Amino acid sequence: MSENTEKSSSDVPIGPSSNEDNERDRPDGEALRLPSFVAGSGTLDRLVDTARDYARAAASDNTLKAYAKDWAHFARWCRMKGAEPLPPSPQMIGLYLADLASGAGSSPALSVSTIERRLSGLAWNYAQRGFTLDRKDRHIATLLAGIKRRHARPPVQKAAILAEDIRAMVAALPFDLRGLRDRAILLLGYAGGLRRSEIVSLDMHKDDTDDGGGWIEIMEKGALLTLNAKTGWREVEIGRGSSNQTCPVHALEHWLHFAKIDCGPVFVGTSRDGKRARNTRLNDKHIARLIKTCVLKAGLRPDLPDAERVKLYSGHSLRAGLASSAEVDERHVQKHLGHASAEMTRRYQRRRDRFRVNLTKAAGL
């Protein structure tokens, strides 16, 4: 019996189950149960449920969904090859990565970044099941290095929505209730450099809802957003704009006033006729659809066919647009976007600082 197998047999997960193999095949957040030597009680059972909630909160819903799909795909691939996904086998994982890169059969070859994300998903899933996946094992590391050398391509970046673009996009929106909401979403997302999930997770006040990811406070000089983001809690200051037509705080105030929102989610759905606000929080996919729709309405990049135009832009185009357009010290942009390093901020800057420093002339040429 392998060391990993012995370890998982002795360290019994928390949660009721009589089938150990089934327990190992589920992440810890779902397989939590009491140790076999502890008698159950109402209090302890409630603590098990609480522990499961905390375990599920260790990663975002989108990340958990992606990891679940990664595991399901790998488990299905293993069984088609006559193998089992548990315990981890570096040799089988190496073959799996080779299959993903080569695009054998009817499946298309995956990009290097997608393969690396799949590997991260497998490592996470193995950790949740009490195993350790050694990514430095030669069967994995050497093969992954070869895949990168042969198939790596420059990263594909979405186009930035610049200041003139965002003005054209909001001008294309109607002035009904839905238009007021979408105008506030675009301007707030742009000025705040917000992610899609951060926009839709906003509440009016702290602790308004269980699924909220932050709240707003509107002041005389602007709006203060407190966000529970990927890198932890941070505050984002959004100042008032130079005109009401493009001011994100003014747009937010208009939406809240006419939608009669004073508690709960800030951005909610509207009735089919666009005249009444509902109680349901918007999904982050709405932000992506809104951006693509407004790109077409505003006529951005008219030199390209519609299908290619919408592919150029995504939710991240708002963050990239702010980073590329704000003519301020890079440190302020880094703090505003919540980046841990200046290098990450520079990845978002599509047009700033190019050729500002000319080393050719500085070197005497």
Side-chain angles (χ1 to χ4, degrees), residues 52-94:
R52 286 173 178 160
D53 290 338
Y54 281 129
R56 295 187 189 103
S60 70
D61 289 341
N62 288 339
T63 299
L64 292 176
K65 289 177 182 177
Y67 285 167
K69 290 181 180 178
D70 292 341
W71 182 257
H73 186 273
F74 175 65
R76 184 170 59 252
W77 180 90
C78 283
R79 286 166 180 143
M80 289 177 64
K81 307 301 180 187
E84 288 295 328
L86 296 172
S89 166
Q91 294 93 329
M92 288 303 297
I93 292 174

Side-chain angles (χ1 to χ4, degrees), residues 240-257:
R240 294 186 181 272
S242 55
S243 71
N244 286 341
Q245 286 71 29
T246 58
C247 174
V249 183
H250 180 79
L252 176 63
E253 290 173 325
H254 260 55
W255 156 247
L256 296 176
H257 172 74

Side-chain angles (χ1 to χ4, degrees), residues 10-17 31-40 44 48:
S10 58
D11 296 342
V12 182
I14 307 175
S17 175
L32 288 171
R33 62 186 178 88
L34 289 171
S36 57
F37 54 83
V38 176
L44 288 176
V48 168

Side-chain angles (χ1 to χ4, degrees), residues 272-348:
R272 190 174 295 274
D273 58 8
K275 296 181 179 179
R276 291 179 292 104
R278 299 187 183 276
N279 297 323
T280 54
R281 186 188 303 275
L282 283 180
N283 187 286
D284 66 343
K285 291 184 175 63
H286 173 82
I287 311 298
R289 291 193 296 266
L290 172 63
I291 289 173
K292 294 178 184 297
T293 299
C294 288
V295 162
L296 294 177
K297 287 183 176 180
L300 304 189
R301 293 301 305 269
D303 54 309
L304 297 175
D306 287 355
E308 292 186 27
R309 288 163 63 195
V310 296
K311 286 182 179 179
L312 278 177
Y313 299 91
S314 72
H316 257 51
S317 295
L318 295 175
R319 283 167 65 79
L322 177 77
S324 302
S325 300
E327 296 293 336
V328 296
D329 190 285
E330 188 178 76
R331 293 172 299 170
H332 299 300
V333 179
Q334 178 183 341
K335 178 184 176 183
H336 199 75
L337 297 182
H339 289 153
S341 67
E343 177 59 32
M344 178 58 71
T345 302
R346 293 188 191 107
R347 295 182 189 179
Y348 282 74

Side-chain angles (χ1 to χ4, degrees), residues 40-175:
S41 68
T43 302
L44 288 176
D45 289 342
R46 285 192 294 273
L47 281 176
V48 168
D49 292 336
T50 301
R52 286 173 178 160
D53 290 338
Y54 281 129
R56 295 187 189 103
S60 70
D61 289 341
N62 288 339
T63 299
L64 292 176
K65 289 177 182 177
Y67 285 167
K69 290 181 180 178
D70 292 341
W71 182 257
H73 186 273
F74 175 65
R76 184 170 59 252
W77 180 90
C78 283
R79 286 166 180 143
M80 289 177 64
K81 307 301 180 187
E84 288 295 328
L86 296 172
S89 166
Q91 294 93 329
M92 288 303 297
I93 292 174
L95 294 176
Y96 175 65
L97 298 181
D99 199 12
L100 296 179
S102 63
S106 59
S107 301
L110 300 184
S111 66
V112 172
S113 60
T114 302
I115 292 173
E116 288 184 313
R117 202 223 65 209
R118 288 272 181 99
L119 186 57
S120 297
L122 294 184
W124 184 89
N125 275 283
Y126 275 123
Q128 302 309 302
R129 290 162 172 82
F131 296 99
T132 299
L133 174 60
D134 183 9
R135 297 180 59 164
K136 295 182 179 180
D137 184 281
R138 62 186 179 88
H139 294 94
I140 298 175
T142 305
L143 190 140
L144 190 58
I147 292 174
K148 289 180 179 179
R149 185 177 179 85
R150 180 172 294 183
H151 298 295
R153 298 288 184 273
V156 178
Q157 292 184 319
K158 295 297 183 180
I161 293 175
L162 304 178
E164 57 270 23
D165 299 329
I166 197 71
R167 286 195 291 265
M169 290 168 68
V170 298
L173 290 169
F175 284 90

